Amino acid sequence: MPASQHARRHAILLMIIAATLWSSAGVASRHLQTAAGFEIVFWRSLFAAIFVAGLMLHQYGRGFPGRLKLMGTTGMVSGLMWATMYSCFMIALTLTTVANTSVMESLAPLFTALLSWLVLKERIPAATWIAIAMAACGMAWMFAGNLTLTDSRGVLGMLVALGIPLASSVNMILLKRRAHTVDLIPAVFLGGSFSALAMLPLSLPFQASLHDVLILGALGFFQLGLPCSLMVKASASLKAHEVALLALLEVLLAPLWAWLWAGENPNSATLAGGTIVLLALIINEIWNWHQKQGESQ
């Protein structure tokens, strides 16, 4: 097997692991006792920053601060994009429903494909555009029964949620442009730090119990810090829109964990929409595999 194909398969596996870890947030949050809203973002972001700092210290030792400087402006902007995603998600949930927020998140592959075409001059295959459209339709179907736009607060929440796919797509382009020359995993540390600092004044006075802090610490480590670092690694071998599409597995898997471990039975719309999303991801990967096979012959 050519080295490029091996690297690609490894990257796809990393993205599947990352999306699986991201999808654990809903089930874990069911066990929180007193923490809510901005305080959840604060603790989760803080522990994500601590995790990545430990990862970088283990890898680079005292050279960790130098790695932050080496990223330059690209790393700073990437960090701001991570912070925007962390913060907008929770702020949106305080204003609107999970369904509304999730559907807005599903726009990330579309925005990423458009930016890849405009900025990176990548040719986006017709099959990928079809997969993106299918995934968006599947996501809308999954949450159609819960979509609401009944008041200005809900509309504001969806506008805030729009910051998630916008920031994600910009971050994807940054990763693709610099991933081969600069290690951008420290940008995940900056993202957690920026988000925690922004949420700190909004979180006071703290209400989280020790039980909650331990859960949020686990989420920061394994639901933010680790999977975001894996995504940075995967982006070196996958196109930006592929990463964005594979990331949709997060929203696809979240209802499954809620069904298995929280007793929340998925309705028919969730099952049908989820099937469409899964088919979109499979079709895109099969198409890319055939393309790679054709190029290697």
Side-chain angles (χ1 to χ4, degrees):
M1 180 189 299
S4 60
Q5 288 190 29
H6 177 76
R8 176 181 169 77
R9 291 187 179 184
H10 181 66
I12 291 173
L13 176 60
L14 291 182
M15 279 305 304
I16 292 173
I17 294 172
T20 302
L21 292 172
W22 282 326
S23 69
S24 65
V27 171
S29 65
R30 298 292 191 277
H31 300 284
L32 295 176
Q33 297 173 337
T34 56
F38 299 115
E39 189 177 0
I40 293 176
V41 184
F42 169 76
W43 287 114
R44 207 170 53 140
S45 299
L46 176 64
F47 281 109
I50 292 172
F51 174 86
V52 181
L55 187 67
M56 293 294 96
L57 285 170
H58 173 73
Q59 186 171 356
Y60 300 117
R62 294 181 180 179
F64 175 36
R67 289 284 168 170
L68 292 174
K69 294 180 180 179
L70 189 62
M71 293 190 300
T73 304
T74 299
M76 184 67 67
V77 175
S78 179
L80 288 172
M81 294 302 102
W82 283 117
T84 299
M85 286 183 275
Y86 297 162
S87 303
C88 282
F89 179 75
M90 185 51 63
I91 293 172
L93 290 181
T94 66
L95 297 170
T96 189
T97 64
V98 174
N100 288 354
T101 303
S102 297
V103 170
M104 296 305 286
E105 279 188 280
S106 71
L107 295 173
L110 174 61
F111 292 158
T112 303
L114 288 172
L115 281 181
S116 296
W117 177 59
L118 291 171
V119 178
L120 302 179
K121 308 302 180 185
E122 288 185 354
R123 188 182 69 83
I124 311 298
T128 297
W129 288 117
I130 293 172
I132 290 171
M134 284 181 62
C137 290
M139 292 286 291
W141 195 344
M142 283 179 71
F143 298 104
N146 296 312
L147 284 172
T148 56
L149 282 173
T150 56
D151 55 30
S152 58
R153 184 179 176 88
V155 174
L156 177 59
M158 293 193 75
L159 289 175
V160 172
L162 188 60
I164 304 170
L166 288 172
S168 175
S169 59
V170 171
N171 203 26
M172 283 292 96
I173 301 306
L174 290 172
L175 292 176
K176 285 307 299 178
R177 293 188 72 171
R178 297 298 305 275
H180 292 288
T181 57
V182 178
D183 180 8
L184 288 176
I185 289 181
V188 181
F189 163 77
L190 291 180
S193 300
F194 292 156
S195 178
L197 287 172
M199 293 299 108
L200 177 58
L202 300 174
S203 303
L204 298 174
F206 291 133
Q207 297 180 357
S209 63
L210 177 60
H211 171 270
D212 288 356
V213 172
L214 290 174
I215 290 177
L216 292 170
L219 285 175
F221 277 31
F222 303 111
Q223 192 264 331
L224 277 189
L226 176 58
C228 291
S229 300
L230 294 178
M231 193 198 80
V232 174
K233 288 287 188 183
S235 66
S237 301
L238 296 172
K239 292 183 177 180
H241 57 268
E242 290 182 285
V243 175
L245 269 173
L246 288 168
L248 289 182
L249 281 171
E250 172 196 357
V251 185
L252 185 64
L253 290 171
L256 175 62
W257 308 144
W259 172 52
L260 291 174
W261 292 309
E264 297 182 6
N265 294 322
N267 57 34
S268 58
T270 299
L271 295 173
T275 300
I276 293 174
V277 174
L278 187 59
L279 284 174
L281 299 177
I282 292 172
I283 288 171
N284 188 61
E285 288 310 315
I286 289 175
W287 172 263
N288 281 304
W289 180 79
H290 278 294
Q291 289 291 96
K292 294 294 181 183
Q293 290 292 108
E295 292 172 2
S296 63
Q297 290 177 357

